[in-house]
């Protein structure tokens, strides 16, 4: 019992020692923490942006609905009949008849050539059925093939080009962010490891002396690990702050973009869970970086 | 307490600091180690404290063969020895009190007891009034005495000291040597390397004489 | 003459000294250089990506051409006449008549509803004139107004929505990259300053001793400045390498994106000029960071 | 060469290390500074080398009032003084040769001349054979002698030494003191703080005696 209490008090002592050391040279420590914070904030911030873009792309278009255009000759009752038939398929979630006149309105709204269509002499559109598939993309191919084979069908059009473009852009952005994340995560470990390494160098004499009077490796190692942890957690907090500020800076062009799409989507900020993540990752990287540095460099220092 | 058997020490640079040294220091004994500069005195003490390891021969300390103490057991091994260093080796960013308390903190001594022991040790070297000062604000003689206080604060069974009076005036030197004598009186084994021949001739403890890495004269008692 | 020669030899000595110091502890120095390199590479790499996207968006659509749809009643000779008239305006660079039948073809190709138009009973399109304006966007408003006022004109359509969306996205990306650049540029200075600060701490004893034997501040400062320079230049080189590798990693999704647009645009890499820039910026930041750290911390170290 | 006029030094900690010290050391003179531990010997030498500044009173060195030497001129000021430190102050990552060469490099001495002077200085302290070793591989007496070689290599007009024989055996101590005597013979002014009363009584130079921050005895020659 007593031993455990003493061990704990030793730990607490080390921890406060580390905090004191950070607070003791406020500027130097703040600089270290700032660098780590930036290295954490950049990928986290970029990730928030990409997540936002994804959520936004979700609001732009539902699932990959597609349109079945019927022959001009198909009349209203036949078209409605067909829609019902399609709706009953297993691989179809929804199928709605778009009346010729409704279709023209729809076409105007989405084609981007809206006003140009006012110039048309008569409604040139046939009936159309809008289908939302239920299955996977493999099922989709089969479904399209089936519908195309119907004799009433003039054309099946998968209007997914725009969505695909967007997905490709986001995919690319995600890849860029991934590369950045790996690079900067590496940077965090190296910065902390490096700082601890130089810190160890600065305390070379102290380490030697403690070894000389019988301090074990664990005793020497502990304050450095706590120091790394302090750096990491401090950096996590600061990173959250930087992201909030950074999002503020990009908020205005983002809003401009939203307006272009007539969207009332609001940019999502950093959630509490994200912040907890940042703290956790910061603390872990700090501890790990310190551990690596200590393991590498503590043995090198032997009294002579 | 200490037994050297035909110990040789050759440093990587190729210089041979000890060339076959054998002697024995009994439990509770006190002895002075003398010899000219570069004779190997510090090297001999370093072998006792496991700061260096012998190239050949056997070093036994407190009945343990130092060759059999693995790296990770060295801290424990050192805790039974009080060492006074030629260059003080104090931590400049800790107070005199904290410096003396260091070995006790490492042994996780209870706070109350630690305090008592540290102050007793400081009192013995006449520096109690400086307990809250930092080492850099002390004269070198004062620093040396802080080093002595640290070495004895944990009441080790063996104290080794490398020229503990090199920076002290003759009067203080004698006083410090008498202090070591008092530790010896209560059973501590003491080995002191020193140049102060005049001083030790007045004190009459056993003398070990090293020259160019070999023990000479009547002091050498083959193990 | 002799003094200058000695001074120069002192400099050379310091420079080689710095290089030797970097090479002496290869791992530690490499770590420092790696961190700085990452901090340089991330914004530079993102910048390259955004530049690429801009160049690409340039190939997608020329200047902001717009279309003037004529009344259905306007016949071929009248339309041709009107086109000639428009072409002669000062604020018009080019004006081309798009024949009704040609227009249908064009419409099919660009609207994304191409095949759906095959279902139309007859060509519903009027003649159209495609106008490329010559002046600024202020002139453009006047031009559109004038053309809209012509009695033959049914509708003037500025089809710039897609381009505007793209520009907004790129503007947003550029803003994000700017924030990132400032953050990471700051990080570079801090990392170098911090490293030099700890390096100075590690050499505290050496500095004290040199001061004691009469070394001037300049003498003490010089090797640290060269060390910072070495870190910076080394990091610049490494950053170029990282960017090349990073671009390699995002090349495949980028190509997928290009294919979606049917573009044969090839991703531009890092030019030699960019690399020189990286080296220059790295070297400058290294020197500056070291200078700041040295100025701050060298005075603190006085022998006692 | 050195003139103290009613010099007081109070350290920030509040302790008064010198309480009104006046003395004069003529150009070409050699003197020993003695006194018990904590008397203020090191403090006095630090005032000469501008490592500390007096709280009150005037310190003149080589006819310059140290109070009038601004911070940025201190390096130049120090270059005219050779200093031997109590704790050696050697650079551990440079060879013995480079350590001794340091003050000469700082003065941008030509390579050829530098080499000659460094080797001559090392020869004088009997360590020429160690020129390519690193300080850590030397015994402390050897390190102390390297420090002495560095102090005299630039042939300064004034040499001050703080306990230069603290880690040396009596024989070597005498030899080193004689070496300082030889520098003095060729015109160098020398001031040495030491505890080795026996030794200096044999040498017969002037003695300055400090106690508790005041100069006492016949040595004190009011400015
Ligand atoms: N780490 C080392 N590497 C190489 N040689 C060393 C090392 N330490 C000591 N030596 C050499 O070994 C010899 C003995 O050194 P040691 O320090 O034991 O002498 P010493 O008797 O303590 O001398 P002093 O009285 O001057 O302190 C010397 O010649 C010294 O140069
Ligand atoms: N930097 C400092 N700050 C505060 N007090 C100091 C400082 N340096 C020395 N002192 C105090 O001033 C007094 C004189 O110190 P000094 O080092 O001059 O003594 P000394 O004569 O050289 O002693 P020794 O023989 O032990 O080296 C001592 O009491 C010491 O504690
Ligand atoms: Mg020794
Ligand atoms: Mg002193």
């Amino acid at each position: 019992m007593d031993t455990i209490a003493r061990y704990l008090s030793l730990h607490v002592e080390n921890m406060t020692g580390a905090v004191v050391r950070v607070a003791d040279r406020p500027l130097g420590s703040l600089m270290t923490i700032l660098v780590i914070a930036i290295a954490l904030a950049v990928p986290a911030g970029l990730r928030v942006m990409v997540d936002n873009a994804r959520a936004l792309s979700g609001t732009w278009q539902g699932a990959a609905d597609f349109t079945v255009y019927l022959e001009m000759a198909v009349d209203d009752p036949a078209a409605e009949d067909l829609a019902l038939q399609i709706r009953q398929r297993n691989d179809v979630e929804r199928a709605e008849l778009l009346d010729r006149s409704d279709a023209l309105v729809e076409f105007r709204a989405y084609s981007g050539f809206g006003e140009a269509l006012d110039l048309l002499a008569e409604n040139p559109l046939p009936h159309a059925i809008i289908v939302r598939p239920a299955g996977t993309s493999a099922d989709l191919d089969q479904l399209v093939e089936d519908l195309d084979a119907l004799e009433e069908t003039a054309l099946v059009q998968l209007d997914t080009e725009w969505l695909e473009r967007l997905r490709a852009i986001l995919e690319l952005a995600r890849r860029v962010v991934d590369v950045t994340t790996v690079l900067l995560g590496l940077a965090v470990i190296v910065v902390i490891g490096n700082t601890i390494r130089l810190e160890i160098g600065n305390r070379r004499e102290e380490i030697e002396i403690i070894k000389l009077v019988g301090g074990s490796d664990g005793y020497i190692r502990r304050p450095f690990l706590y120091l790394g942890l302090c750096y990491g957690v401090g950096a996590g907090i600061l990173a959250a702050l930087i992201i909030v500020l950074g999002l503020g800076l990009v908020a205005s062009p983002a809003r401009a973009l939203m307006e272009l799409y007539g969207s009332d989507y609001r940019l999502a900020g950093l959630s509490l869970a994200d912040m907890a993540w940042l703290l956790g990752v910061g603390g872990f990287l700090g501890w790990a970086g310190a551990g690596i540095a200590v393991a590498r460099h503590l043995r090198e220092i032997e009294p002579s | 307490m200490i037994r050297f058997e035909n110990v040789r020490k050759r440093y990587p640079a190729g210089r041979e600091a000890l060339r076959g040294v054998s002697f024995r220091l009994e439990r509770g004994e006190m002895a002075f180690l003398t010899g000219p500069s570069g004779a190997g005195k510090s090297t001999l003490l370093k072998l006792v404290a496991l700061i260096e390891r012998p190239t050949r021969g056997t070093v036994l300390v407190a009945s343990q063969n130092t060759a059999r103490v693995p790296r990770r057991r060295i801290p424990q091994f050192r805790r039974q020895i009080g060492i006074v260093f030629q260059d003080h080796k104090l931590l400049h960013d800790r107070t005199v009190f904290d410096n003396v308390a260091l070995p006790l903190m490492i042994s996780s001594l209870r706070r109350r007891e630690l305090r008592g022991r540290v102050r007793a040790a400081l009192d013995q070297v006449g520096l109690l009034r400086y307990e809250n000062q930092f080492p850099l604000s002390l004269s070198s003689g004062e620093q040396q005495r802080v080093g002595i206080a640290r070495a004895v604060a944990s009441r080790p069974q063996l104290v080794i000291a490398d020229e503990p009076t090199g920076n002290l005036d003759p009067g203080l030197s004698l006083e410090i040597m008498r202090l070591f004598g008092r530790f010896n009186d209560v059973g501590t084994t003491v080995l002191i390397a020193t140049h102060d021949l005049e001083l030790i001739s007045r004190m009459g403890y056993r003398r070990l004489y090293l020259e160019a890495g070999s023990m000479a004269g009547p002091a050498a008692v083959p193990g």
Side-chain angles (χ1 to χ4, degrees), chain B residues 11 13 15 35-39 42 46 86 129-130 133-134 136-142 145 162-163 165-170 172 195-198:
Chain B
Y11 282 106
R15 240 159 317 131
S37 172
S42 299
K46 282 178 188 169
Q86 214 164 349
R129 74 210 136 105
Y130 288 162
Q133 301 286 327
F134 287 90
L136 275 181
S137 74
L138 300 184
S139 81
S140 35
E142 289 158 351
R145 284 182 276 161
D162 200 351
E163 297 183 36
T165 60
N167 296 312
L168 299 179
D169 55 285
L172 203 52
H195 285 305
D196 209 337
L197 303 181
E198 198 209 4

Side-chain angles (χ1 to χ4, degrees), chain B residues 15-63:
Chain B
R15 240 159 317 131
E16 205 157 25
L18 295 178
R19 312 159 187 261
V21 171
S22 300
F23 76 97
R24 199 172 184 145
L25 191 70
E26 300 302 334
R27 195 171 289 270
E29 222 186 333
M30 168 154 164
F32 289 111
L33 181 63
T34 66
S37 172
K41 302 180 296 297
S42 299
T43 302
L44 190 151
L45 294 183
K46 282 178 188 169
L47 292 177
V48 172
L50 260 177
I51 296 169
E52 295 284 354
R53 289 186 184 267
T55 314
R56 275 166 67 183
T58 316
V59 175
L60 288 141
V61 176
S63 320

Side-chain angles (χ1 to χ4, degrees), chain A residues 43-301:
Chain A
L46 291 178
R47 211 159 271 283
V48 168
M49 291 307 298
V50 172
D51 286 350
N52 266 307
R54 282 185 160 169
L56 184 59
S57 84
T59 70
W60 286 342
Q61 211 152 343
D65 293 357
F66 62 89
T67 312
V68 180
Y69 293 99
L70 305 183
E71 296 287 355
M72 293 295 269
V74 179
D75 61 9
D76 287 17
E80 257 170 58
D81 211 49
L82 196 66
L84 198 71
Q85 231 173 284
I86 295 176
R87 202 174 295 136
Q88 279 160 355
R89 288 181 62 113
N90 275 334
D91 49 4
V92 169
E93 195 187 310
R94 233 168 60 184
E96 257 175 88
L97 178 65
L98 195 61
D99 195 79
R100 294 181 57 151
S101 40
D102 293 355
L104 186 64
V105 174
E106 188 94 328
F107 189 47
R108 277 192 55 180
Y110 280 90
S111 70
F113 282 75
E115 288 147 357
L117 290 173
D118 290 347
L119 307 170
L120 299 181
E122 54 180 276
N123 183 356
L125 295 175
H127 283 298
I129 298 171
I130 297 173
V131 180
R132 172 164 299 177
T136 66
S137 60
D139 298 337
L140 183 66
D141 289 344
Q142 182 59 49
L143 175 61
V144 169
E145 204 174 296
D146 288 358
L147 297 183
D148 210 11
L150 296 174
E151 70 182 81
E152 295 95 335
T153 299
L155 177 81
V156 175
Q157 180 168 5
L158 283 104
D159 181 29
T160 51
E161 194 183 3
W162 169 232
L163 200 64
E164 263 176 52
R165 285 180 179 181
L166 204 91
R167 292 228 171 104
I169 289 179
L170 287 180
E171 170 66 13
L172 185 60
R174 207 186 52 74
R175 190 73 80 99
V176 170
V177 171
D178 281 351
V179 171
T180 306
T181 303
V182 169
L183 280 176
L184 291 176
L186 190 66
V188 169
I189 290 205
V190 172
V191 166
I192 292 178
N194 233 3
T195 305
I196 299 289
R197 174 179 69 84
L198 287 162
E199 192 81 46
I200 289 171
N202 267 339
R203 307 197 157 252
R204 170 173 219 106
E205 222 188 332
E206 177 173 344
I207 293 170
E208 262 180 42
I209 291 172
I210 292 178
K211 283 197 176 182
L212 278 175
V213 300
S216 64
D217 283 0
Y219 184 87
I220 298 168
R221 182 157 42 228
R222 233 169 282 135
F224 290 106
L225 293 180
Y226 284 116
L227 189 61
L229 187 68
C230 284
Y231 282 149
V233 171
I237 296 172
L238 190 57
L241 216 81
I242 290 175
I243 292 177
V244 170
L245 287 178
L247 286 181
L249 283 180
V250 297
S252 104
R255 204 170 308 118
L257 187 63
M258 300 298 102
E259 270 161 26
L260 262 174
Y261 288 104
S263 168
D264 58 354
Y265 179 82
R266 297 207 59 84
L267 210 63
L270 211 56
S271 70
L272 271 182
D274 291 342
M275 291 197 194
W277 241 100
L278 266 180
L279 281 196
V281 169
F284 170 75
L285 291 180
W287 183 276
I292 294 169
V294 165
R296 282 192 54 80
H297 300 287
L298 222 49
R299 278 191 84 122
E300 284 169 14
I301 299 179

